[in-house]
Amino acid sequence: MDSTQPDTQGPRYPASGLPNETNALFTTIEGEWDEVMAVIKQAIDAVMAVAPRCSIVLKGDVRPGVMDAMTGKVASVERYLADEAALGSSADRRQAGD
């Protein structure tokens, strides 16, 4: 790559070894405080290397002892919705006279 061209890929979050997910609006990183803050600092440093300004918005959910919250919470919601759908189907059948 030409040294005058910025690295548009930025920091490689998977290289940190921390669970992460990037979607259309946000990047979510899960891990211990110091590990996550180190990744954020690397991301800011990468932007500042090619831009005069970097704006960040941080949102944290600090829950000591909770592991795998990124996927665990989604799985919990999906189980809940499946249970609700099954209950709704049973109730619908009872109302229909089955």
Side-chain angles (χ1 to χ4, degrees):
M1 174 169 46
D2 181 347
S3 63
T4 62
Q5 296 297 314
D7 177 3
T8 58
Q9 297 300 309
R12 307 310 192 269
Y13 301 113
S16 71
L18 299 176
N20 65 87
E21 175 184 287
T22 299
N23 59 42
L25 298 175
F26 303 104
T27 297
T28 301
I29 305 170
E30 183 175 69
E32 295 297 320
W33 182 267
D34 290 340
E35 294 171 323
V36 171
M37 291 299 122
V39 172
I40 292 168
K41 182 181 182 328
Q42 290 171 0
I44 292 168
D45 290 347
V47 171
M48 294 305 296
V50 296
R53 172 179 173 176
C54 178
S55 177
I56 62 169
V57 175
L58 297 177
K59 179 178 179 182
D61 184 9
V62 180
R63 298 175 61 198
V66 174
M67 303 297 287
D68 195 31
M70 273 184 6
T71 57
K73 184 61 175 182
V74 172
S76 174
V77 169
E78 288 173 346
R79 278 192 310 273
Y80 177 79
L81 293 174
D83 290 347
E84 286 293 310
L87 290 174
S89 297
S90 299
D92 292 341
R93 285 194 300 272
R94 283 194 300 272
Q95 287 178 353
D98 290 347

